[in-house]
Amino acid sequence: RVTIGEALTCRYRPKKVDGLVILVGDSTAKSLSDGFITAAHNLRLEVIVFQQSGCPFQVSDSPFNQFCKTGNKRNNDVWSAIRILKPVAVIVSNLNYLYVRDIGLPDMPIGPTRVAWANETQKVFTHLKDLEIKGLLVQTVPELTFDLRYNVTILKQHVIGEDRTVVDRDNKFLNEMETNAVMKILDNRSILNLDRQICSSDLCSQVKDGKFMYEDSSHLSSVGSMVMAPDIEQALRLLIQ
């Protein structure tokens, strides 16, 4: 078990260990964790997951720390853990649109809030680079319209899928801004977008090969995260090679 201030979690160790990777973020990181742990263990990497719902992983002076229960304290403690544990890589996954579109920064329009989010994301990866730790941004999966937990009558519709142009309308631009921000300091090995596992060129669906990929309209289910494990494993392999 790891305890550094508010950074509390467990270690997930494979039988043979060649290194350590840390997954950080909010509820998105939690929903990704089953597949992430499997992918990392396949590469003989130990895993630590620091996640807290509603608290995006940010640098100390980020305005988005105001959404965390204790301000910047938790993220400061996670950064301390990263410096102490010295992982080979840190994987970041935040529900970006929650803080930009749904909540937003006080008295700031959505356009400048998007810019602020991209800038703060870049600061995270700049800091990791300064620590000589590799970084990977796993972007939010597509936000779909309905939650199958509460309306099973729409199951058929979601097997068929939702119009991708509608799904992409709000969040594609924010993902692109994140990508551009990270790519200014790193290369494309530091970005993992999982949309292709959810969407075709025309449609996006919560159901794939008879499996429920989502636990709600925004987060992967445990089954969904396991479907993503091969993509995560490939991204980790490229990142740390």
Side-chain angles (χ1 to χ4, degrees):
R1 189 169 178 83
V2 177
T3 304
I4 301 174
E6 291 190 11
L8 309 174
T9 191
C10 297
R11 305 176 79 121
Y12 302 90
R13 288 178 172 152
K15 292 181 179 179
K16 294 184 179 180
V17 178
D18 288 341
L20 168 69
V21 289
I22 297 179
L23 172 63
V24 294
D26 55 13
S27 56
T28 305
K30 179 182 179 182
S31 70
L32 192 69
S33 60
D34 286 348
F36 179 80
I37 291 169
T38 297
H41 283 186
N42 287 344
L43 298 173
R44 294 172 34 168
L45 295 169
E46 181 182 6
V47 177
I48 292 175
V49 181
F50 292 115
Q51 62 80 28
Q52 185 177 87
S53 294
C55 181
F57 182 64
Q58 300 279 283
V59 296
S60 179
D61 62 353
S62 168
F64 295 97
N65 281 320
Q66 66 186 276
F67 301 122
C68 301
K69 295 176 182 177
T70 54
N72 65 1
K73 185 178 187 313
R74 174 179 168 76
N75 278 328
N76 286 347
D77 289 343
V78 173
W79 279 111
S80 293
I82 290 169
R83 286 189 289 269
I84 292 168
L85 296 168
K86 296 180 173 60
V88 295
V90 170
I91 289 71
V92 181
S93 192
N94 294 314
L95 192 63
N96 52 18
Y97 58 79
L98 173 63
Y99 313 103
V100 173
R101 184 200 67 197
D102 294 352
I103 303 175
L105 296 174
D107 303 317
M108 184 178 287
I110 190 168
T113 305
R114 286 193 188 108
V115 173
W117 179 265
N119 289 340
E120 295 303 324
T121 300
Q122 185 181 82
K123 288 180 183 179
V124 168
F125 285 85
T126 299
H127 193 34
L128 289 173
K129 185 177 181 181
D130 290 343
L131 294 173
E132 299 183 342
I133 296 172
K134 296 181 184 296
L136 174 66
L137 175 65
V138 181
Q139 294 186 313
T140 307
V141 293
E143 180 193 22
L144 301 181
T145 306
F146 296 104
D147 186 340
L148 292 183
R149 296 174 302 169
Y150 302 122
N151 193 347
V152 294
T153 63
I154 61 173
L155 177 57
K156 182 176 180 181
Q157 174 187 344
H158 284 276
V159 172
I160 297 170
E162 297 182 38
D163 186 336
R164 183 165 188 174
T165 59
V166 175
V167 171
D168 282 346
R169 184 171 54 206
D170 285 335
N171 302 326
K172 183 178 179 181
F173 186 49
L174 183 58
N175 282 347
E176 289 175 349
M177 291 183 70
E178 279 187 334
T179 298
N180 291 336
V182 174
M183 292 280 284
K184 286 180 181 178
I185 53 171
L186 299 171
D187 58 36
N188 60 6
R189 293 177 300 170
S190 294
I191 303 289
L192 176 59
N193 185 290
L194 298 167
D195 285 11
R196 71 182 187 87
Q197 293 287 1
I198 305 296
C199 303
S200 66
S201 58
D202 302 317
L203 299 171
C204 300
S205 176
Q206 296 188 36
V207 181
K208 181 175 181 178
D209 298 330
K211 299 175 181 177
F212 288 87
M213 299 288 287
Y214 281 47
E215 66 177 17
D216 55 25
S217 61
S218 305
H219 297 87
L220 291 172
S221 64
S222 177
V223 171
S225 75
M226 293 300 293
V227 171
M228 304 300 180
D231 283 7
I232 298 169
E233 181 178 341
Q234 181 181 24
L236 286 175
R237 191 188 304 274
L238 289 172
L239 183 71
I240 65 176
Q241 67 181 7

